[in-house]
Amino acid sequence: MAGQGTRFLPATKAMPKEMLPVVDRPLIQYAVDEARAAGIEEFIFVTGRAKSAIEDHFDASSELERSLEEQGKTEALAAIREVMPEAGRIAYTRQQHPLGLGHAVWCARYLIGDEPFAVLLADDLILAEPGCLAQMIDVYKRTGGNLVAAEDVPKAQTDRYGILDVAEDDGTLARARALVEKPNPADAPSTLSIIGRYILQPQVLRELDRQEKGAGGEIQLTDAMARTIGDIPFHGLRFEGRRFDCGNRLGFIEANIAFGLDRDDMTDRVKEILAVYG
């Protein structure tokens, strides 16, 4: 989804934040890989100005491929070829003005059509096996409706998230009676927050057609989802895994460490490096 990435300036002056690398893959690649592992076959990218690097990343690079092939670098060649979805399975649309997440999703309405769809925000990076979206799809087969990934946050941080007003909660799956976008901690109905994974019904797009602005003067996806509650079941899933907020610098650093430790080819060396600075 489109975003300006101002927290990472000057690094994101000429490079979209979704292309920031964690170990050796950009954030956007992790999101696509997670979706593919969950069975998603068609991909829509909502981009903005100066984000052509995303399109280039998921396109063929004949000169590079030829060079790697001539040098016998078969592993590197396979790595760049496997990032590309099948031809005809990928589309791009432009969010011309940064009017919020709800507006970004609405910009893809004609490409989505009248069927359920998933939304993944690349700067919410999740280390999980199976992947977060795969866990959600497994639950969605039972619940239907709208389903979001959720986690409990400190009470003082509820003003950073969409928060569920919980009607029922078994410790893993919570049914919401309402949603509140970025409530003041004193007014928050719970500490169960929505993070960047959604499975949504097309009715949400029709709510977004209203173009009503909410918190921060933006068109909020949370508000559109909230207006469907009562007509469509709404649940939040506490997924198994660890989420890293790569929209801020410390979360991004932590993600690089965690994903490095998770790699068999570098875990020992990462531990040695950490010990030096410990």
Side-chain angles (χ1 to χ4, degrees):
M1 292 299 173
Q4 294 179 302
T6 54
R7 294 177 183 174
F8 283 91
L9 287 171
T12 52
K13 179 182 177 182
M15 177 179 68
K17 66 177 181 178
E18 295 87 353
M19 291 300 295
L20 291 171
V22 171
V23 184
D24 56 5
R25 285 189 289 168
L27 289 169
I28 192 68
Q29 183 64 55
Y30 285 97
V32 169
D33 290 346
E34 180 183 327
R36 292 169 79 174
I40 301 297
E41 296 180 344
E42 297 180 5
F43 303 87
I44 303 167
F45 294 87
V46 181
T47 65
R49 290 186 67 252
K51 295 204 174 190
S52 60
I54 295 175
E55 296 185 36
D56 292 340
H57 178 72
F58 291 104
D59 198 359
S61 178
S62 300
E63 291 182 0
L64 176 59
E65 291 181 29
R66 184 166 53 252
S67 175
L68 293 173
E69 194 166 20
E70 290 172 354
Q71 296 175 61
K73 296 183 177 181
T74 55
E75 187 174 335
L77 181 60
I80 64 169
R81 283 177 171 170
E82 71 181 8
V83 307
M84 294 183 293
E86 294 180 27
R89 299 284 191 177
I90 190 167
Y92 298 89
T93 190
R94 181 69 67 92
Q95 184 186 27
Q96 296 166 322
H97 303 285
L99 298 177
L101 175 58
H103 181 260
V105 172
W106 179 79
C107 287
R109 64 199 182 282
Y110 296 123
L111 294 169
I112 294 169
D114 193 31
E115 58 183 325
F117 61 99
V119 177
L120 293 87
L121 305 186
D123 53 6
D124 269 338
L125 182 58
I126 298 173
L127 183 58
E129 185 57 44
C132 180
L133 188 61
Q135 295 178 45
M136 292 175 66
I137 287 176
D138 186 55
V139 172
Y140 173 77
K141 291 175 182 177
R142 295 186 281 111
T143 64
N146 293 325
L147 177 68
V148 298
E151 67 178 9
D152 289 287
V153 298
K155 182 78 170 178
Q157 296 180 10
T158 57
D159 57 357
R160 305 178 189 177
Y161 301 92
I163 299 295
L164 277 65
D165 185 351
V166 176
E168 299 175 4
D169 189 349
D170 66 7
T172 299
L173 188 66
R175 182 176 65 82
R177 64 168 66 92
L179 305 173
V180 184
E181 178 65 20
K182 298 178 180 178
N184 290 325
D187 302 322
S190 77
T191 58
L192 190 59
S193 70
I194 300 170
I195 66 162
R197 300 292 185 275
Y198 310 74
I199 298 175
L200 302 175
Q201 302 303 309
Q203 288 90 332
V204 173
L205 296 174
R206 292 193 279 275
E207 292 297 330
L208 288 171
D209 280 336
R210 300 185 185 192
Q211 297 290 281
E212 293 181 2
K213 294 183 178 180
E218 297 183 334
I219 298 168
Q220 299 290 349
L221 182 59
T222 302
D223 294 340
M225 294 187 298
R227 288 194 293 266
T228 70
I229 294 177
D231 298 324
I232 301 173
F234 191 101
H235 293 87
L237 173 67
R238 292 183 178 88
F239 59 93
E240 294 184 8
R242 189 173 179 188
R243 170 234 179 191
F244 302 91
D245 180 4
C246 291
N248 71 71
R249 287 166 290 186
L250 289 177
F252 178 72
I253 292 170
E254 186 180 9
N256 271 277
I257 294 170
F259 276 76
L261 289 170
D262 193 56
R263 287 270 298 264
D264 291 338
D265 62 335
M266 60 178 63
T267 181
D268 291 339
R269 181 63 182 130
V270 173
K271 289 178 181 178
E272 291 173 5
I273 293 170
L274 291 173
V276 170
Y277 294 95

